Amino acid sequence: MTLPDDAAPTLDKEEEIRARRDRINRVAKWTLPSLVMALSLLAWHLYVTLKGVPHYVLPGPVPVGKSIIEDWALLWPAMLTTSRLTILALFLAVTGGAALAVAFTQSRWAEMSFFPYAVILQVTPVVAIAPLLQIYVDSAFVAALLCAWIVAFFPILSNTTTGLKSADHNLHDLFTIYGATRWQRLRYLAAPSALPYFLGGLRIAGGLALIGAVVAEFVIGRAGTGLGLASTLLEASYRFNFGRLYAALILISILGIGIFAITSLISHLMLRKWHESALNREV
């Protein structure tokens, strides 16, 4: 089938419009959030300046920025500690959750035996668990790590288990016809179907690992065992050093944004060429 002579210019025009729209969207993706951030900082500065808000009630962005610079020698090690807690907890949650999810899908008895206890860990507030771990575990870092792991573990386990069970039943029948082994089913059928679910759980677990680490630092930091940014924030509140308090809070937020960006990038790179959620299609 041949296209009319006037169809080619029309297609070229549509491609040009689509390319221009993609360029605008890429620029807007970064400029719009930056603009909102700049306007928010300006509104914050104008509010505390024009209203004469005391610094011990709400410090302005300029004092907070100065505090980040002046207290960097204190904030940087605290940020490294919180980052290490979060990354280790996420790593343990990923390895343990994925391995247990595979065990659940391979053995119905294993799922019936252990899944209720995973639910119990998920629904029990980590604030209630942290003091007990502090009592029974000698290391404050290990106690905080266990708290962060408990919070991040369940999304990986639940999402991966759901994904491993979501393979097309027609493909299961096809694998049965060809006499596939359990390992072949897991590797070539269940694992690819579970990958988007696992990556979705990874994005959730990354944020939860940071939340668990911060909560654990709050609880354990009250005992005088300073760990990371949350302990620094808690100490600054006791000393009424609100510039340092807001500086630690901002660094925690930046750390969370970084974790989400990294996990989102991993998800995009692994799904972009084949999964519908990552393909760029025109509506």
Side-chain angles (χ1 to χ4, degrees):
M1 179 175 134
T2 59
L3 294 174
D5 294 338
D6 58 346
T10 302
L11 293 176
D12 292 340
K13 187 67 174 178
E14 291 179 355
E15 288 292 335
E16 182 181 349
I17 294 173
R18 187 179 298 113
R20 186 184 302 117
R21 184 167 57 244
D22 290 341
R23 287 195 298 270
I24 293 173
N25 289 337
R26 283 196 297 269
V27 173
K29 184 178 180 181
W30 296 101
T31 56
L32 290 179
S34 301
L35 179 61
V36 171
M37 176 62 70
L39 292 175
S40 300
L41 291 174
L42 178 61
W44 179 10
H45 174 72
L46 292 177
Y47 175 76
V48 298
T49 302
L50 298 178
K51 292 287 187 178
V53 181
H55 68 88
Y56 54 83
V57 175
L58 178 63
V62 175
V64 172
K66 288 182 178 178
S67 182
I68 292 177
I69 296 173
E70 294 173 357
D71 295 334
W72 187 247
L74 175 68
L75 293 171
W76 175 246
M79 189 174 182
L80 288 179
T81 300
T82 301
S83 302
R84 189 155 58 103
L85 264 176
T86 304
I87 293 172
L88 284 175
L90 184 59
F91 173 77
L92 293 176
V94 167
T95 54
L100 196 56
V102 171
F104 284 176
T105 55
Q106 297 301 308
S107 171
R108 183 66 178 169
W109 291 102
E111 182 177 11
M112 290 188 294
S113 299
F114 295 105
F115 190 77
Y117 297 100
V119 175
I120 291 173
L121 284 177
Q122 171 66 17
V123 300
T124 303
V126 70
V127 177
I129 299 175
L132 296 176
L133 291 175
Q134 187 180 1
I135 293 172
Y136 297 119
V137 179
D138 294 333
S139 171
F141 182 86
V142 174
L145 176 62
L146 290 174
C147 289
W149 169 78
I150 289 172
V151 176
F153 171 73
F154 190 78
I156 298 292
L157 173 63
S158 179
N159 281 32
T160 307
T161 301
T162 301
L164 290 171
K165 294 181 178 180
S166 298
D168 193 328
H169 69 278
N170 293 312
L171 293 177
H172 272 294
D173 295 339
L174 181 63
F175 272 62
T176 301
I177 292 173
Y178 282 96
T181 63
R182 278 194 172 192
W183 166 248
Q184 290 172 328
R185 287 176 183 273
L186 177 63
R187 180 180 178 184
Y188 296 110
L189 178 59
S193 69
L195 185 60
Y197 294 85
F198 166 78
L199 293 172
L202 179 65
R203 288 198 300 272
I204 298 171
L208 290 179
L210 177 60
I211 292 173
V214 168
V215 171
E217 288 177 7
F218 269 128
V219 176
I220 297 172
R222 289 195 179 98
T225 54
L227 284 173
L229 286 173
S231 298
T232 303
L233 190 154
L234 191 64
E235 181 186 0
S237 68
Y238 291 154
R239 298 175 181 271
F240 296 97
N241 189 341
F242 289 91
R244 183 182 297 174
L245 187 153
Y246 274 83
L249 180 61
I250 289 172
L251 291 178
I252 290 173
S253 299
I254 292 174
L255 183 58
I257 293 170
I259 292 171
F260 181 80
I262 292 172
T263 53
S264 297
L265 178 62
I266 293 172
S267 177
H268 173 72
L269 293 177
M270 297 187 73
L271 300 178
R272 60 175 178 164
K273 292 187 177 181
W274 65 278
H275 197 259
E276 287 293 330
S277 65
L279 294 176
N280 185 17
R281 298 188 186 277
E282 293 295 325
V283 180

